[in-house]
Amino acid sequence: MSNSGWETVIGLEVHVQLATKTKIFSGASTTYGAEPNTQACAIDLAMPGTLPVLNKQAVHYAVMFGLAIDAEIGKESAFERKNYFYPDLPKGYQTTQLEKPIVGRGNVEIQMADGRTKNVRIHHAHLEEDAGKSLHEGDFRHGVSGIDLNRAGTPLIEIVSEPDMSNAEEAIAFAKKLHSIVTSIGICDGEMSQGSMRFDVNVSVRRTGTTELGTRTETKNLNSYKFMEEAIAKEVERQIDLIEDGGTVLQETRLYNGDTKVARSMRSKEEANDYRYFPCPDLLPVIVSDETIEELRRNLPELPDARQARFIEQYGLSAYDAAMIGSDAAMAAYFETATKESGNAKLAANWTMGELAARLNSEDLSINKSPVNAEQLGGLVARIADNSISGKMAKEVFEGMWAGEGSADEIIEARGLKQVSDSGALEQMVADVLAANQAMVDDYINTDEAKRKKKLGGFMGKIMQASKGQANPQQVNQILVQKLNELV
Amino acid sequence: MNIERQEIEKLATLARIAIDESTITEVAERLGSVLELVDQLQAADTSSLDGVSSGMQATQRLREDEVTEINQREALQATAPDTEEGLFLVPKVIE
């Protein structure tokens, strides 16, 4: 199938769980992974007679997001009820914002792999509560679902973009940028696998050159960039096929199952626009004072763009390295500590993005859960930088630190890994190996000068073996060439 | 104010309320008179006033982000029709 002749238009709605200790309207804990329904109090369960009281921190986090994207802040915002029936929504309505959201129009700049940048407009962002979870698989009797309401009432901001993205790459760059912003300002833990950020993707297609938007579909609840990419590709293809075959796209909500790779239409929870929104009589208008906004602005943590620029300026990182490390708040903090500890930013960056990131990735760990902390990695980098150990030994030391054997220095000491850089000792070592391998030396001398370089490997192997891998390879190479040339 | 029969049926479906076939006309009339009242309110000229979200001249109080509710699952599930392993059980729902 070819997409030529077609343009794709994408808008995103992003649900971000705010990193508050408690629910948006109750004092129940939001800690992830608790026993079912142990963090669902009478308010979350919509028991009669309960009243919501708004969490100040949730309001402040929402305002901080608004400040981070240079948006208008709703100094007076209000809550509405969005009515629908579903077992994971005990009240029969979701308390959300419609007419007066807390964050108005703003902008997010995204950067593509080729360095191209693009502005994505934010329509608004509003505060709302999350629903509980329905569990359909378990040991329940036939025909029953289990409901866990621990998540019910968890504060969310829903960020609604304008349809400013024209392919999956841009949509993912936008999603990653939002992730980077919310984690950098500390309003969300960013744990995608735990549903801390979820993406609804609105997709439509139109013939190239036309300006009218096509009918869009919404694919809900994608919680990884990979699934987003797959879901967009599938939906674009489906819509183009449909129209080219003479059909029309229906405005509908769809689901994409990342495990089975199957997309399907979702029976709508209610018919479109029938949520019968009305102002929530339990909640009064929310006023955010100018003083509060200014205080939050003053204390807003460093944003990813500023941090990346600083990494280039302060540490001399390449733009690519600065983007890789600087876009992730936790990785950025890790890198800065490792750099401080080692005094070598470039090496610290290489190890953070290389060995460490690869290992975390393969064990599916976030950097905050790394068995090797930033001080330890810094300690290792310091020993590489001062030539105490070779790159190869460093990997062994890293493995030791990962296994919990202690600091780099302790492991180097315990395993006798110190690299030999003492030139006297190295010269003796090289001389010994040459003396013991006269045949190889003769072979070297009898080889054409142009081809001699290839013969060096054999000597290097024997010398490194003799030194138990502890000789500084660069130095050995230098001494070896010098000594052999004296013999020619 | 006329409300069509179909609108009443749709509203009843959305609100999960069973309305007896024989009472639909009466319900339509009663809801219609509510809407007439709303029409009267709508007719008032409020162009010179700011909107209000609440009848009270007050603003939302905010609470500190501190855990105040402890686990009361046992008590809260005592009145639930059916539970298992801490979960509320409901007729199967699949979207």
Side-chain angles (χ1 to χ4, degrees):
Chain A
M1 205 230 34
S2 154
N3 290 359
S4 70
W6 292 92
E7 283 176 3
T8 305
V9 178
I10 301 171
L12 257 63
E13 290 166 28
V14 184
H15 287 92
V16 175
Q17 276 186 1
L18 298 177
T20 54
K21 293 200 274 280
T22 63
K23 305 281 176 80
I24 185 168
F25 298 123
S26 85
S29 170
T30 53
T31 309
Y32 182 81
E35 284 292 303
N37 293 307
T38 53
Q39 293 178 171
C41 71
I43 294 173
D44 307 326
L45 262 49
M47 288 295 178
T50 54
L51 272 179
V53 186
L54 187 56
N55 185 334
K56 187 201 256 174
Q57 190 68 64
V59 173
H60 286 187
Y61 281 166
V63 171
M64 284 165 70
F65 175 73
L67 294 171
I69 62 160
D70 213 9
E72 302 156 19
I73 305 299
K75 291 176 188 171
E76 179 177 336
S77 66
F79 284 95
E80 266 95 2
R81 292 182 177 184
K82 178 182 180 179
N83 298 279
Y84 65 90
F85 284 95
Y86 206 71
D88 62 18
L89 188 78
K91 291 189 293 193
Y93 57 85
Q94 179 191 32
T95 306
T96 179
Q97 298 188 307
L98 181 70
E99 299 288 343
K100 289 180 174 178
I102 189 150
V103 175
R105 296 187 175 281
N107 293 287
V108 171
E109 189 177 86
I110 57 171
Q111 187 160 27
M112 258 53 72
D114 62 7
R116 190 170 53 92
T117 60
K118 183 172 188 175
N119 183 56
V120 175
R121 292 166 300 156
I122 301 298
H123 180 273
H124 77 273
H126 62 260
L127 271 168
E128 62 182 26
E129 60 183 335
D130 211 341
K133 273 183 187 162
S134 309
L135 304 159
H136 307 300
E137 279 130 48
D139 300 327
F140 318 128
R141 294 182 303 283
H142 180 70
V144 236
S145 292
I147 306 292
D148 176 7
L149 295 171
N150 280 349
R151 200 181 63 181
T154 297
L156 301 174
I157 48 171
E158 179 176 338
I159 303 160
V160 181
S161 87
E162 297 286 359
D164 286 350
M165 289 149 280
S166 46
N167 53 50
E169 190 202 355
E170 290 179 6
I172 287 161
F174 174 69
K176 286 185 173 170
K177 187 62 180 283
L178 283 184
H179 184 275
S180 174
I181 291 171
V182 298
T183 52
S184 292
I185 62 176
I187 66 170
C188 174
D189 67 16
E191 297 287 351
M192 309 264 288
S193 62
Q194 297 177 4
S196 294
M197 274 183 94
R198 310 191 293 270
F199 304 92
D200 299 346
V201 184
N202 292 306
V203 175
S204 65
V205 297
R206 64 184 172 199
R207 302 261 181 200
T208 306
T210 56
T211 50
E212 203 179 324
L213 290 171
T215 305
R216 67 183 159 86
T217 64
E218 180 180 22
T219 302
K220 282 188 105 69
N221 260 331
L222 300 161
N223 69 349
S224 84
Y225 303 128
K226 186 166 154 278
F227 292 166
M228 248 174 82
E229 187 171 10
E230 293 169 358
I232 291 170
K234 263 198 163 29
E235 183 56 14
V236 168
E237 187 178 327
R238 189 188 71 87
Q239 291 188 11
I240 294 173
D241 281 353
L242 196 61
I243 299 170
E244 286 186 340
D245 289 348
T248 47
V249 176
L250 292 177
Q251 183 164 352
E252 63 180 355
T253 303
R254 299 179 62 82
L255 286 178
Y256 177 72
N257 184 326
D259 297 325
T260 61
K261 315 284 174 216
V262 174
R264 65 177 175 88
S265 176
M266 179 174 156
R267 269 187 305 124
S268 91
K269 280 184 178 174
E270 293 293 321
E271 288 161 63
N273 300 321
D274 250 335
Y275 290 121
R276 294 152 295 139
Y277 280 93
F278 64 88
C280 181
D282 286 345
L283 290 158
L284 294 161
V286 181
I287 306 296
V288 185
S289 70
D290 289 335
E291 294 74 44
T292 301
I293 293 171
E294 284 319 307
E295 192 189 332
L296 292 170
R297 193 195 303 277
R298 268 198 311 279
N299 296 322
L300 197 66
E302 187 175 36
L303 291 169
D305 288 352
R307 183 166 52 221
Q308 288 172 36
R310 182 169 63 81
F311 280 8
I312 294 170
E313 171 80 25
Q314 183 178 344
Y315 299 116
L317 295 189
S318 68
Y320 178 82
D321 289 358
M324 283 288 287
I325 297 177
S327 63
D328 185 302
M331 197 190 256
Y334 190 103
F335 157 75
E336 291 210 85
T337 305
T339 298
K340 203 173 158 201
E341 195 71 23
S342 66
N344 190 316
K346 183 63 195 156
L347 268 177
N350 286 347
W351 274 80
T352 306
M353 288 186 299
E355 202 72 17
L356 178 78
R359 194 61 193 268
L360 291 170
N361 197 30
S362 75
E363 303 207 5
D364 205 16
L365 286 170
S366 68
I367 199 161
N368 294 323
K369 304 260 161 63
S370 172
V372 177
N373 67 34
E375 285 80 7
Q376 281 178 296
L377 191 79
L380 173 63
V381 169
R383 294 291 82 86
I384 306 167
D386 69 10
N387 271 324
S388 298
I389 53 172
S390 67
K392 199 175 160 203
M393 290 176 198
K395 288 193 177 160
E396 191 182 334
V397 175
F398 182 81
E399 287 306 315
M401 295 197 298
W402 191 275
E405 290 172 24
S407 72
D409 285 341
E410 285 163 359
I411 294 166
I412 291 167
E413 180 69 31
R415 296 197 185 187
L417 285 173
K418 204 107 180 138
Q419 177 165 265
V420 179
S421 301
D422 170 46
S423 51
L426 290 177
E427 281 190 31
Q428 188 56 51
M429 218 179 271
V430 174
D432 289 349
V433 168
L434 293 184
N437 294 279
Q438 193 55 50
M440 280 174 76
V441 175
D442 292 342
D443 178 44
Y444 181 87
I445 294 169
N446 295 329
T447 301
D448 283 353
E449 200 178 340
K451 292 179 182 165
R452 277 182 191 151
K453 215 172 173 183
K454 286 186 184 162
K455 301 280 178 188
L456 290 175
F459 291 108
M460 285 297 293
K462 288 199 181 294
I463 299 162
M464 292 309 286
Q465 200 179 3
S467 77
K468 299 194 184 75
Q470 292 178 17
N472 180 324
Q474 287 86 28
Q475 273 178 284
V476 168
N477 193 284
Q478 235 173 17
I479 295 167
L480 177 65
V481 172
Q482 194 190 338
K483 280 201 183 299
L484 282 170
N485 286 344
E486 282 167 10
L487 294 172
V488 174
Chain B
M1 188 86 187
N2 270 337
I3 304 182
E4 299 288 334
R5 188 179 188 86
Q6 285 159 312
E7 287 182 85
I8 297 293
E9 284 167 354
K10 187 177 164 194
L11 280 173
T13 307
L14 289 173
R16 304 291 194 272
I17 293 171
I19 294 185
D20 195 284
E21 186 72 10
S22 63
T23 62
I24 288 188
T25 316
E26 188 201 333
V27 171
E29 277 169 17
R30 282 165 56 191
L31 276 180
S33 66
V34 172
L35 291 181
E36 272 168 31
L37 179 66
V38 172
D39 278 345
Q40 278 181 38
L41 292 170
Q42 297 276 38
D45 180 12
T46 57
S47 56
S48 61
L49 302 170
D50 290 334
V52 284
S53 314
S54 158
M56 284 177 278
Q57 293 299 314
T59 58
Q60 180 60 41
R61 187 173 72 81
L62 302 178
R63 29 165 272 280
E64 294 301 320
D65 184 24
E66 301 293 343
V67 177
T68 52
E69 303 297 319
I70 48 147
N71 174 24
Q72 296 193 63
R73 184 172 75 182
E74 207 174 320
L76 292 168
Q77 290 195 333
T79 51
D82 206 357
T83 60
E84 192 176 297
E85 290 169 3
L87 295 163
F88 293 97
L89 294 187
V90 298
K92 190 152 197 153
V93 274
I94 293 274
E95 276 286 352

